[in-house]
Amino acid sequence: MAYTDRVKQILSWYTSDNPGTLTNLARLMNTGTLAGTGKFVILPVDQGFEHGPARSFGPNVAGYDPDYHAQLAIDSGCNAYAAPLGFLEAVAGKFAGEIPLLLKLNNSDSLAKVAAPMSAVTASVKDAVRLGCVAVGYTIYPGSSARNEQYEALREIIKEAKEYGLPTVVWAYPRGNMSKEGETGIDVVAYAAQISAQLGAHIIKVKPPQDHIEQPEAKKAFEKANIPTKTMADRVREVVRSAFNGKRIVIFSGGEAKDTPALLEEIRQINAGGGFGSIMGRNAFQRPHDESVKLLKDVMNIFAGARG
Amino acid sequence: MAYTDRVKQILSWYTSDNPGTLTNLARLMNTGTLAGTGKFVILPVDQGFEHGPARSFGPNVAGYDPDYHAQLAIDSGCNAYAAPLGFLEAVAGKFAGEIPLLLKLNNSDSLAKVAAPMSAVTASVKDAVRLGCVAVGYTIYPGSSARNEQYEALREIIKEAKEYGLPTVVWAYPRGNMSKEGETGIDVVAYAAQISAQLGAHIIKVKPPQDHIEQPEAKKAFEKANIPTKTMADRVREVVRSAFNGKRIVIFSGGEAKDTPALLEEIRQINAGGGFGSIMGRNAFQRPHDESVKLLKDVMNIFAGARG
Amino acid sequence: MAYTDRVKQILSWYTSDNPGTLTNLARLMNTGTLAGTGKFVILPVDQGFEHGPARSFGPNVAGYDPDYHAQLAIDSGCNAYAAPLGFLEAVAGKFAGEIPLLLKLNNSDSLAKVAAPMSAVTASVKDAVRLGCVAVGYTIYPGSSARNEQYEALREIIKEAKEYGLPTVVWAYPRGNMSKEGETGIDVVAYAAQISAQLGAHIIKVKPPQDHIEQPEAKKAFEKANIPTKTMADRVREVVRSAFNGKRIVIFSGGEAKDTPALLEEIRQINAGGGFGSIMGRNAFQRPHDESVKLLKDVMNIFAGARG
Amino acid sequence: MAYTDRVKQILSWYTSDNPGTLTNLARLMNTGTLAGTGKFVILPVDQGFEHGPARSFGPNVAGYDPDYHAQLAIDSGCNAYAAPLGFLEAVAGKFAGEIPLLLKLNNSDSLAKVAAPMSAVTASVKDAVRLGCVAVGYTIYPGSSARNEQYEALREIIKEAKEYGLPTVVWAYPRGNMSKEGETGIDVVAYAAQISAQLGAHIIKVKPPQDHIEQPEAKKAFEKANIPTKTMADRVREVVRSAFNGKRIVIFSGGEAKDTPALLEEIRQINAGGGFGSIMGRNAFQRPHDESVKLLKDVMNIFAGARG
Amino acid sequence: MAYTDRVKQILSWYTSDNPGTLTNLARLMNTGTLAGTGKFVILPVDQGFEHGPARSFGPNVAGYDPDYHAQLAIDSGCNAYAAPLGFLEAVAGKFAGEIPLLLKLNNSDSLAKVAAPMSAVTASVKDAVRLGCVAVGYTIYPGSSARNEQYEALREIIKEAKEYGLPTVVWAYPRGNMSKEGETGIDVVAYAAQISAQLGAHIIKVKPPQDHIEQPEAKKAFEKANIPTKTMADRVREVVRSAFNGKRIVIFSGGEAKDTPALLEEIRQINAGGGFGSIMGRNAFQRPHDESVKLLKDVMNIFAGARG
């Protein structure tokens, strides 16, 4: 499929990247229902590792099987399917090339409770290459005590991934030196997006920002500069602007489980604010197969409508 | 020996593995009394290191000698003999090829008492290659404070072992952030199996799960999804399902020392729940030689009956 | 442009450096309005990472865009533009060669609050080479508990940078075992300059020293040797002398935000004391574009006047 | 000298070792008064480092000179001379080949007092090769908090030493999680011997075990299995059995300084219990030269008598 | 210049060293006023880093300039000039070969106060090679909690330095687990010399030992062996003996600042006790140039007289 103007424009922002990395970034944008729009809907399934099998797959037991999720991403027309090593190893051979794969390189289980959040490195860039993936994912916790170690590991990963032509998706979850609301406060999420962009992320994944400003100095700055934060669209706009004035791709997770109308309304706001897409796990794969497919297609329609 | 259909089916689940690794996985399945059934009985002797010599070999002093255990595994028709480096170095030359050897790469002694469980790396993948082993073993403690370090070391080992065509057996012992009962709670054991599978384990070794649910969120999930946990067979079934819907081999340790009838009943339940086999140490080698052989053969008969 | 005598003199102090490193040091001195004078005005923009996007770019929203700053450095005739990886990656291809780039290799965000200051390594020397930079920058915190680790990392960076012909600019910010005033005390700043020079820094960046002596032993030494500290020019002179009797380039940051007359007076004092120049961020890019350009040109005029 | 049957038998237990390592193990057994008996008397002089020069060499000031000890080992017909790097570097060239050298790779001084015992690595396997040594020595502290780190370092050393054909002697000193008596308790010493053997030690050096059982579980096991611990010969027998049923060489240190008759009686017991020999430092070199030689020869006579 | 018998004798003690290392050791002994005597006077200037510029160079402001010290060492006929990287980089090209350079590889500043003394590695062996140095220097703190780390780093440095034919000078400063007087107690200084020698130091630099015995066990040993400690000459003799019976070069620092007669008397005692020389910094370069030269020449005369 020929590149659309929008895809070309997005690629033009990554002028320090090699052709291999741009090629895989383009593959993500030229796949599925949203191909060519510069918008993204990605299915991530790391909950088995993060929350345990029964909590993740009990609601829809078909999900115990790794094949199920790859097929769901294909059936619903997602841009990509993201998972930890084991799940991808189980499907990579079988679905080779049918759906772009994104290997999550680090993950955190919830059997242990530790003060400072820190994911285990559960796969390598070379694993992603071996399994035919088009991108790698890495989680950082800005604000946490081990953040520097995480930033440095991320830099190494981005560097190595580029050597193999793989773009890097950064999961940026603020934590640590802040209130619970602060973790999704508009100033904090925007700051996390800026940090991710400065570290060289190709795609930045954040939670939908809330109407809360955590840092007193940021509060002053928002007020002085009259930055609106009332609606989700306002806040998404500020987060996207904080990622190099919108020149880095920012996508949003589904947030708390909610009913379908609320979820779709949030998607509309994200789209209105210039968000580049959604990454939606539990809200998708925990429903029966056909419901999941319908929901994901509804989400895609909203994003497609924005530029269609 | 030609592969049975069951062996072929099991191998088909590991489609991201290279032929060398599949070959050694097949060797394990094509050895001993259970050859071709896809079931496993393995003799592990790491107690000299883990509990000290007198506690381990005092009950049957023949066991002070490393030759004894390799011969016992051969005499009883086990799929493999597993031990730390020293014991394998002492027998590898003498019994070369008579019995598949599994080198345990890390071990923990009980002279020191430390808060966070952490095994010492006592051998390397290259040692396993040098000694002609068909697989390596590695212990992780999901839930413990050093778990991430252990997961990351395991990932490196699995990667290196594959380069030499060796599958990896993961000993998954939950510890740390949980009650004593929680360590064998069904939710915890199932979660440990899921983590091991996501990390790329070829064979997962867990303790028989008990009818206890440790994590409140897991309790809700089990109830909502109506997952039965009453019988050992029920619980084994859930653990096996948690290892990629049964597409990863899960074997069970003997658990607490118990009398022979109770032990055999437990084996029957494990088999009924779809468990792939047993790994049985003290219950075997601490009895007189002929009793050990008889017990192991009885266990094999149960597993063989399941598909015979 | 032919080297002036002053440029030749400065280069003569770095006799252990290879021609490649001297070449890039000369490039910095032969660029912009101050070309040939041996004086420096550099535009650094690391505040997005260090203080967050709204606090940094809210006052002049054009600054959210990475292109803006590179263009500002060009428009105002700076010797160089300094920034973290993300910002340089966004402009390196577009402005290739129009303005010397200085890659800041480590940075510290203000989402987390930690006792011991420690920047994350956010880019490598090889990144600087790949992006066509003429120098690298690295921050140390003399006096802090992790200083040794920082000094050792700096040594590795200087060594590697030289292999690629890149000089190293050291940001020396005393911290830790001292009072708040001590951080900019004349004895402490002079000591930090000496440490940086002993570690092999080509250019040393410090804050304008204040009329405060932190260490009792230093107080005695200053008094005994009659070292004047009353005026900024006095103090700048002592700091420059502490950098190998003025044989290492020392430049000064803008210090606290202040009004333009006060700022220009400080520049006059720095110049009078033999300072080699200024590195000025927020005072520059947070004003409207034309005001920034005018301010930077006024600063350059002061430094140019000194030898013009 | 042709190998005796006993030497051949001992070598036959190390079937996983390469010929180079067996050659040097044989060299140790074919040197000095005890050549061919499979018994060992080794002179170790690490006390200068471990206790300081005056405490070590004050009683016999000839010992300040490194030449003295190498000559003493030759004069008395020892199997080998063991010392830290500096002492061996001082004599290796002068006495090249006259006496087998054993390089102690780690040592601990007593200027600092630290909770967890940990020796410094003071030499490398390559140093041993460079100096013409026939073996390397390494100290571990089973039971101490840093034991795992020590076991892992030992594994690396054994592996590297084998690559150069050098066997490894392990000094196993239990410490940490035990009473003072426990450090030489029969259960603890036997456990330490087992751990050393499992880690791949070729020769294991322990202190003479005392009639004390430290661990409650071990006490039960000793009682149940009727393992005698009354005489030193009994206890030595259990320690030797714990080293792979006597298939690994176990030698014993001189223990506390004592008078000559008591010392020789202890040697007789060690010999009666099947111990492979002694490693005797202060009891030897702190006496006048001729007394030392006589004592060492008396000790050798006891060991020689056992099989002579 | 042909080697004197004394130089040949000293070189004969280092029989495990390669010709390159012996060549540079000889260069040190064949330079300056003391050439051929086997005695040493070395000028070290690391105080700018260790104590700060004003405290170090305020008393004689010519010393702010790195050229000054190299010239002073030449003017006074020293065997060598020792300094950190920055100072040597500033002079190495200009004075190439005029004076042997000794690069201090680690240094400690006094801006930070930390419990456990630990120097930062501020230069590498390869830096010494690049700058044409004839030796490297490294500081250890025997008795401190980080001593093992320091010993191990020293071992690596000695090994690497030998590969380039560079001898290593060890600055041995006892610290930590001792009283303030203990740091220069005769038992402690002698022990530090022994440790340094065992670690492979070619030249050992200690402080002049005082008439104080720190360790109770050492006190007993000194008394039992009747080791005299009354005069500085006595104590120097014991320290030299503790360095392999005088077969390793031991030199002494100037100690506390004192008046010239007291200083020269101390040198006489050091010489009388068999000390190999002095390393004198502040006592030299903080005086006016001609006074420094005279003092250093007086010191050399004392050492020369000993064997002249």
Side-chain angles (χ1 to χ4, degrees):
Chain A
M1 165 178 165
Y3 289 176
T4 61
D5 286 350
R6 179 60 178 166
V7 168
K8 283 183 199 165
Q9 183 189 26
I10 292 174
L11 292 178
S12 79
W13 300 331
Y14 296 84
T15 54
S16 294
D17 277 297
N18 62 33
T21 308
L22 295 177
T23 299
N24 276 317
L25 199 54
R27 266 185 197 131
L28 281 171
M29 292 193 279
N30 271 354
T31 295
T33 305
L34 290 171
T37 62
K39 296 285 181 173
F40 295 77
V41 173
I42 295 175
L43 177 72
V45 188
D46 56 4
Q47 288 78 3
F49 195 101
E50 307 261 337
H51 303 142
R55 286 174 64 196
S56 304
F57 310 127
N60 173 22
V61 294
Y64 277 98
D65 197 308
D67 290 359
Y68 178 77
H69 305 286
Q71 192 62 53
L72 175 60
I74 294 167
D75 293 346
S76 55
C78 285
N79 298 65
Y81 167 54
L85 184 84
F87 257 24
L88 289 200
E89 283 205 321
V91 303
K94 191 163 176 181
F95 296 89
E98 262 191 279
I99 175 86
L101 299 177
L102 193 169
L103 180 59
K104 271 201 69 186
L105 301 187
N106 61 351
N107 288 282
S108 177
D109 71 88
S110 48
L111 269 178
K113 285 261 157 51
V114 283
M118 184 74 188
S119 300
V121 174
T122 55
S124 69
V125 169
K126 286 197 183 68
D127 285 320
V129 175
R130 172 171 65 85
L131 297 173
C133 300
V134 303
V136 296
Y138 192 82
T139 299
I140 58 175
Y141 299 107
S144 74
S145 61
R147 74 203 181 289
N148 280 359
E149 192 178 330
Q150 294 161 7
Y151 297 167
E152 296 181 359
L154 173 59
R155 273 304 307 147
E156 287 303 309
I157 279 165
I158 291 176
K159 178 177 157 289
E160 188 186 356
K162 281 184 175 187
E163 290 171 14
Y164 295 98
L166 298 180
T168 301
V169 182
V170 172
W171 268 246
Y173 292 144
R175 288 285 173 82
N177 176 48
M178 59 191 71
S179 69
K180 191 69 200 167
E181 300 81 52
E183 293 179 1
T184 51
I186 171 60
D187 60 327
V188 169
V189 173
Y191 199 164
Q194 163 78 204
I195 287 170
S196 302
Q198 292 284 15
L199 290 170
H202 294 91
I203 299 179
I204 299 160
K205 186 267 191 186
V206 292
K207 293 188 179 165
Q210 302 306 313
D211 190 11
H212 166 91
I213 299 182
E214 177 73 6
Q215 298 197 298
E217 306 89 333
K219 198 165 186 68
K220 265 184 280 179
F222 271 74
E223 281 166 6
K224 205 165 168 191
N226 282 317
I227 304 171
T229 64
K230 233 7 179 312
T231 68
M232 178 63 80
D234 287 339
R235 299 187 298 265
V236 164
R237 197 170 292 116
E238 177 63 13
V239 171
V240 169
R241 184 164 76 162
S242 293
F244 293 2
N245 209 25
K247 292 178 175 171
R248 289 292 173 269
I249 298 163
V250 185
I251 60 179
F252 295 81
S253 55
E256 298 293 302
K258 47 181 82 78
D259 63 17
T260 305
L263 196 149
L264 292 176
E265 175 54 26
E266 192 173 86
I267 298 294
R268 266 177 222 112
Q269 290 277 321
I270 291 169
N271 190 46
F276 288 72
S278 278
I279 181 158
M280 193 176 291
R282 277 170 296 176
N283 277 313
F285 71 76
Q286 290 186 343
R287 304 175 185 223
H289 178 267
D290 293 354
E291 274 187 43
S292 301
V293 173
K294 176 167 180 354
L295 175 70
L296 287 166
K297 286 191 179 299
D298 287 347
V299 169
M300 290 170 199
N301 282 337
I302 293 170
F303 283 120
R307 315 195 67 89
Chain B
M1 166 179 166
Y3 289 175
T4 62
D5 285 351
R6 178 61 177 164
V7 167
K8 282 184 199 165
Q9 182 188 28
I10 292 174
L11 292 177
S12 79
W13 300 331
Y14 296 83
T15 53
S16 294
D17 276 296
N18 61 34
T21 308
L22 295 177
T23 299
N24 276 317
L25 200 54
R27 268 185 196 132
L28 281 170
M29 290 192 280
N30 272 354
T31 294
T33 306
L34 290 171
T37 64
K39 296 285 181 171
F40 296 77
V41 172
I42 295 176
L43 177 72
V45 188
D46 56 3
Q47 287 79 2
F49 196 102
E50 306 261 336
H51 303 141
R55 286 174 63 196
S56 304
F57 309 126
N60 174 23
V61 295
Y64 276 98
D65 198 307
D67 290 0
Y68 178 77
H69 305 286
Q71 192 62 53
L72 174 60
I74 294 168
D75 292 347
S76 56
C78 286
N79 299 63
Y81 167 55
L85 184 83
F87 257 24
L88 289 200
E89 283 205 321
V91 303
K94 193 163 174 180
F95 297 88
E98 262 190 279
I99 175 86
L101 299 177
L102 193 169
L103 180 59
K104 270 202 67 185
L105 301 187
N106 62 350
N107 288 282
S108 177
D109 71 88
S110 47
L111 269 179
K113 286 261 156 51
V114 283
M118 184 75 189
S119 300
V121 174
T122 56
S124 69
V125 169
K126 286 196 184 68
D127 285 320
V129 175
R130 173 171 66 85
L131 297 173
C133 299
V134 302
V136 296
Y138 193 82
T139 299
I140 58 174
Y141 298 107
S144 74
S145 60
R147 74 202 182 290
N148 279 359
E149 194 178 330
Q150 294 161 8
Y151 297 167
E152 296 181 359
L154 173 59
R155 273 304 307 149
E156 287 302 309
I157 279 165
I158 291 176
K159 179 177 156 288
E160 189 187 355
K162 281 183 176 187
E163 290 171 14
Y164 295 98
L166 298 179
T168 300
V169 182
V170 172
W171 268 246
Y173 293 143
R175 290 282 174 83
N177 177 48
M178 59 191 72
S179 69
K180 191 69 199 166
E181 299 81 52
E183 294 180 1
T184 50
I186 171 60
D187 60 327
V188 169
V189 174
Y191 199 163
Q194 163 78 203
I195 287 171
S196 302
Q198 292 285 14
L199 290 170
H202 294 91
I203 300 179
I204 299 160
K205 186 266 191 187
V206 293
K207 293 188 179 166
Q210 303 306 313
D211 190 11
H212 166 92
I213 299 182
E214 178 73 6
Q215 298 196 298
E217 305 89 335
K219 199 165 186 67
K220 265 184 280 179
F222 271 73
E223 282 166 4
K224 205 164 168 193
N226 280 319
I227 303 172
T229 64
K230 236 359 180 321
T231 68
M232 178 63 80
D234 286 339
R235 299 188 296 266
V236 164
R237 197 169 293 115
E238 176 63 13
V239 172
V240 169
R241 184 164 76 163
S242 293
F244 293 2
N245 209 25
K247 292 179 175 170
R248 289 294 174 268
I249 297 164
V250 185
I251 60 179
F252 295 81
S253 55
E256 297 293 301
K258 46 181 82 78
D259 62 19
T260 305
L263 196 149
L264 293 176
E265 175 54 26
E266 191 172 87
I267 298 294
R268 267 177 222 110
Q269 289 276 321
I270 290 170
N271 189 47
F276 288 72
S278 276
I279 182 158
M280 192 177 291
R282 276 170 296 176
N283 277 314
F285 71 77
Q286 290 186 342
R287 305 176 184 222
H289 179 268
D290 293 355
E291 274 187 42
S292 302
V293 172
K294 178 170 179 350
L295 174 70
L296 288 165
K297 285 190 180 299
D298 287 347
V299 169
M300 289 169 200
N301 282 337
I302 294 170
F303 282 119
R307 315 194 69 88
Chain C
M1 167 178 165
Y3 289 176
T4 61
D5 286 350
R6 178 61 178 165
V7 166
K8 282 184 198 164
Q9 183 188 27
I10 293 174
L11 292 177
S12 79
W13 301 330
Y14 296 84
T15 53
S16 293
D17 276 296
N18 61 33
T21 307
L22 295 176
T23 299
N24 275 318
L25 199 55
R27 268 185 196 131
L28 280 170
M29 291 192 279
N30 272 354
T31 295
T33 305
L34 290 170
T37 63
K39 296 285 181 172
F40 296 77
V41 173
I42 295 175
L43 178 71
V45 188
D46 57 4
Q47 288 77 2
F49 195 101
E50 306 261 337
H51 303 142
R55 286 173 63 194
S56 304
F57 309 127
N60 174 22
V61 293
Y64 277 99
D65 197 306
D67 290 359
Y68 178 77
H69 305 287
Q71 192 61 54
L72 176 59
I74 295 168
D75 292 346
S76 55
C78 285
N79 298 64
Y81 167 54
L85 184 84
F87 257 24
L88 289 200
E89 282 206 321
V91 304
K94 191 163 176 181
F95 296 89
E98 261 192 280
I99 175 86
L101 299 177
L102 193 169
L103 180 59
K104 271 202 69 186
L105 301 187
N106 62 349
N107 288 282
S108 177
D109 71 88
S110 47
L111 268 178
K113 286 259 156 53
V114 283
M118 184 75 188
S119 300
V121 174
T122 55
S124 69
V125 169
K126 286 198 184 69
D127 285 320
V129 175
R130 173 171 65 85
L131 297 174
C133 298
V134 302
V136 297
Y138 192 82
T139 299
I140 58 175
Y141 298 107
S144 73
S145 61
R147 74 202 182 289
N148 279 359
E149 193 178 330
Q150 295 162 7
Y151 297 167
E152 296 181 358
L154 172 58
R155 274 303 308 146
E156 287 303 308
I157 280 165
I158 291 176
K159 180 177 155 288
E160 189 186 356
K162 281 183 176 188
E163 290 170 13
Y164 295 98
L166 298 180
T168 301
V169 182
V170 171
W171 269 246
Y173 292 144
R175 289 286 173 82
N177 176 48
M178 59 191 73
S179 69
K180 191 69 199 167
E181 300 81 51
E183 293 179 0
T184 52
I186 172 60
D187 60 326
V188 169
V189 174
Y191 198 164
Q194 163 79 202
I195 286 170
S196 302
Q198 292 285 15
L199 291 170
H202 295 91
I203 300 178
I204 299 160
K205 186 267 190 185
V206 293
K207 292 189 179 167
Q210 303 307 312
D211 190 10
H212 167 91
I213 299 183
E214 177 74 6
Q215 298 196 299
E217 305 89 334
K219 198 164 187 68
K220 267 183 278 178
F222 271 74
E223 281 165 5
K224 205 165 169 193
N226 281 318
I227 304 172
T229 63
K230 234 3 181 313
T231 69
M232 179 62 80
D234 287 337
R235 299 188 297 265
V236 163
R237 197 170 292 114
E238 177 63 13
V239 172
V240 169
R241 185 165 74 162
S242 293
F244 293 2
N245 209 25
K247 292 179 176 170
R248 288 294 174 268
I249 298 164
V250 185
I251 60 178
F252 295 81
S253 56
E256 297 294 301
K258 46 181 83 75
D259 63 18
T260 306
L263 196 150
L264 292 176
E265 176 53 26
E266 191 173 85
I267 299 294
R268 268 177 222 110
Q269 291 276 322
I270 290 170
N271 190 46
F276 288 72
S278 277
I279 182 157
M280 193 176 290
R282 276 170 296 175
N283 276 314
F285 71 76
Q286 289 186 343
R287 302 173 187 226
H289 179 267
D290 293 355
E291 274 187 44
S292 302
V293 172
K294 176 167 178 358
L295 174 70
L296 288 166
K297 286 190 178 300
D298 287 347
V299 169
M300 289 170 201
N301 282 337
I302 294 170
F303 283 119
R307 318 195 65 90
Chain D
M1 166 178 166
Y3 289 176
T4 61
D5 286 350
R6 178 61 177 165
V7 166
K8 281 184 200 164
Q9 181 188 29
I10 293 175
L11 292 177
S12 79
W13 300 331
Y14 295 84
T15 54
S16 294
D17 276 297
N18 62 32
T21 307
L22 295 177
T23 299
N24 276 316
L25 199 55
R27 267 184 197 133
L28 281 171
M29 291 193 279
N30 272 354
T31 295
T33 306
L34 290 170
T37 63
K39 296 285 181 172
F40 296 77
V41 172
I42 295 175
L43 177 72
V45 189
D46 56 4
Q47 287 79 2
F49 195 102
E50 305 261 338
H51 304 141
R55 286 174 64 196
S56 304
F57 309 126
N60 174 22
V61 294
Y64 277 98
D65 198 307
D67 290 0
Y68 179 77
H69 305 286
Q71 192 62 53
L72 175 59
I74 294 168
D75 293 346
S76 55
C78 285
N79 299 64
Y81 167 53
L85 184 83
F87 257 25
L88 290 200
E89 283 206 321
V91 303
K94 194 163 174 181
F95 297 88
E98 262 191 279
I99 173 85
L101 299 177
L102 193 168
L103 180 58
K104 270 201 68 184
L105 301 187
N106 62 349
N107 288 281
S108 176
D109 71 88
S110 48
L111 269 178
K113 286 259 158 51
V114 283
M118 184 75 189
S119 300
V121 174
T122 56
S124 69
V125 169
K126 286 197 183 67
D127 285 320
V129 175
R130 172 171 66 85
L131 297 173
C133 300
V134 302
V136 296
Y138 192 83
T139 299
I140 58 174
Y141 299 107
S144 73
S145 61
R147 74 201 183 290
N148 279 359
E149 194 177 329
Q150 295 162 8
Y151 297 167
E152 296 180 358
L154 172 59
R155 274 303 308 147
E156 287 303 308
I157 279 164
I158 291 176
K159 179 177 155 288
E160 189 186 354
K162 282 182 176 187
E163 290 171 13
Y164 296 98
L166 299 179
T168 300
V169 182
V170 171
W171 269 246
Y173 292 144
R175 291 281 175 82
N177 176 49
M178 59 191 74
S179 69
K180 191 68 199 166
E181 299 82 51
E183 293 180 1
T184 50
I186 171 59
D187 60 326
V188 169
V189 174
Y191 198 165
Q194 163 80 202
I195 287 171
S196 302
Q198 291 286 15
L199 290 169
H202 295 90
I203 300 178
I204 299 160
K205 187 266 191 186
V206 293
K207 293 189 179 166
Q210 303 306 314
D211 190 11
H212 167 92
I213 299 182
E214 177 73 7
Q215 299 196 298
E217 306 89 334
K219 200 166 185 67
K220 266 183 280 179
F222 271 74
E223 282 164 5
K224 205 165 169 192
N226 280 319
I227 304 172
T229 64
K230 238 351 180 324
T231 69
M232 179 63 80
D234 287 338
R235 299 188 297 266
V236 164
R237 197 169 292 114
E238 176 64 13
V239 171
V240 170
R241 185 165 73 164
S242 294
F244 293 2
N245 209 25
K247 292 179 176 171
R248 289 292 174 269
I249 298 164
V250 185
I251 61 179
F252 295 81
S253 55
E256 296 294 301
K258 48 181 81 78
D259 63 19
T260 306
L263 196 150
L264 292 176
E265 174 54 26
E266 191 172 87
I267 299 294
R268 267 177 221 110
Q269 290 276 321
I270 290 171
N271 189 47
F276 288 73
S278 276
I279 182 157
M280 192 176 291
R282 277 171 294 176
N283 276 314
F285 71 77
Q286 290 186 344
R287 304 174 185 224
H289 178 266
D290 294 354
E291 273 187 44
S292 303
V293 172
K294 179 170 178 350
L295 174 70
L296 287 166
K297 284 189 179 300
D298 287 348
V299 168
M300 289 170 200
N301 282 336
I302 293 170
F303 282 120
R307 318 193 67 89
Chain E
M1 167 178 165
Y3 289 175
T4 62
D5 286 350
R6 177 61 177 163
V7 166
K8 282 183 199 166
Q9 183 188 28
I10 292 175
L11 292 178
S12 79
W13 300 331
Y14 296 84
T15 53
S16 295
D17 276 297
N18 61 33
T21 307
L22 295 177
T23 299
N24 276 317
L25 199 55
R27 264 184 199 133
L28 280 170
M29 291 192 280
N30 272 354
T31 295
T33 306
L34 290 171
T37 63
K39 297 285 183 173
F40 296 78
V41 173
I42 295 175
L43 178 71
V45 189
D46 56 5
Q47 288 78 3
F49 196 101
E50 306 260 338
H51 304 143
R55 287 173 64 195
S56 304
F57 309 126
N60 174 23
V61 294
Y64 277 99
D65 198 305
D67 290 0
Y68 179 77
H69 306 286
Q71 192 62 54
L72 175 59
I74 294 167
D75 292 346
S76 55
C78 285
N79 298 65
Y81 167 54
L85 184 84
F87 258 25
L88 289 199
E89 283 205 321
V91 304
K94 192 164 176 181
F95 296 89
E98 262 191 279
I99 174 85
L101 299 177
L102 193 169
L103 180 59
K104 271 201 68 185
L105 301 187
N106 61 350
N107 289 282
S108 176
D109 71 89
S110 47
L111 269 179
K113 286 259 158 51
V114 282
M118 184 74 188
S119 299
V121 174
T122 56
S124 69
V125 169
K126 286 197 183 69
D127 285 320
V129 175
R130 172 171 66 86
L131 297 173
C133 299
V134 303
V136 297
Y138 192 81
T139 299
I140 58 174
Y141 298 107
S144 73
S145 61
R147 75 201 182 290
N148 280 359
E149 193 178 331
Q150 295 162 8
Y151 298 167
E152 295 181 357
L154 172 58
R155 274 302 309 148
E156 286 303 308
I157 279 165
I158 291 176
K159 181 178 154 288
E160 189 186 356
K162 282 183 176 189
E163 290 170 13
Y164 295 97
L166 299 179
T168 300
V169 183
V170 172
W171 269 245
Y173 292 144
R175 290 283 174 82
N177 175 49
M178 58 191 75
S179 69
K180 191 68 200 167
E181 300 82 50
E183 293 179 1
T184 51
I186 171 60
D187 60 327
V188 170
V189 174
Y191 198 165
Q194 163 79 204
I195 287 171
S196 302
Q198 292 285 16
L199 290 169
H202 295 91
I203 299 178
I204 299 160
K205 187 267 190 185
V206 293
K207 292 188 179 168
Q210 302 307 312
D211 190 10
H212 167 91
I213 299 182
E214 177 73 7
Q215 298 196 299
E217 305 89 334
K219 198 165 187 67
K220 267 183 279 179
F222 271 74
E223 282 166 5
K224 205 165 169 192
N226 281 318
I227 304 172
T229 64
K230 240 348 186 323
T231 69
M232 179 62 80
D234 287 338
R235 299 188 297 267
V236 164
R237 197 170 293 116
E238 176 64 12
V239 171
V240 169
R241 184 165 73 163
S242 294
F244 292 3
N245 208 25
K247 292 178 175 170
R248 288 292 175 269
I249 298 163
V250 185
I251 60 178
F252 295 82
S253 56
E256 296 294 300
K258 46 181 84 76
D259 63 18
T260 306
L263 196 149
L264 292 175
E265 174 54 26
E266 192 172 85
I267 298 295
R268 267 177 223 111
Q269 290 276 321
I270 290 170
N271 189 47
F276 288 72
S278 277
I279 182 157
M280 193 177 290
R282 277 170 295 176
N283 276 313
F285 71 76
Q286 289 186 345
R287 302 174 186 225
H289 178 267
D290 294 354
E291 274 186 44
S292 302
V293 172
K294 177 168 177 357
L295 175 70
L296 288 165
K297 286 191 179 299
D298 288 347
V299 168
M300 289 170 200
N301 282 336
I302 293 169
F303 282 119
R307 318 193 65 91

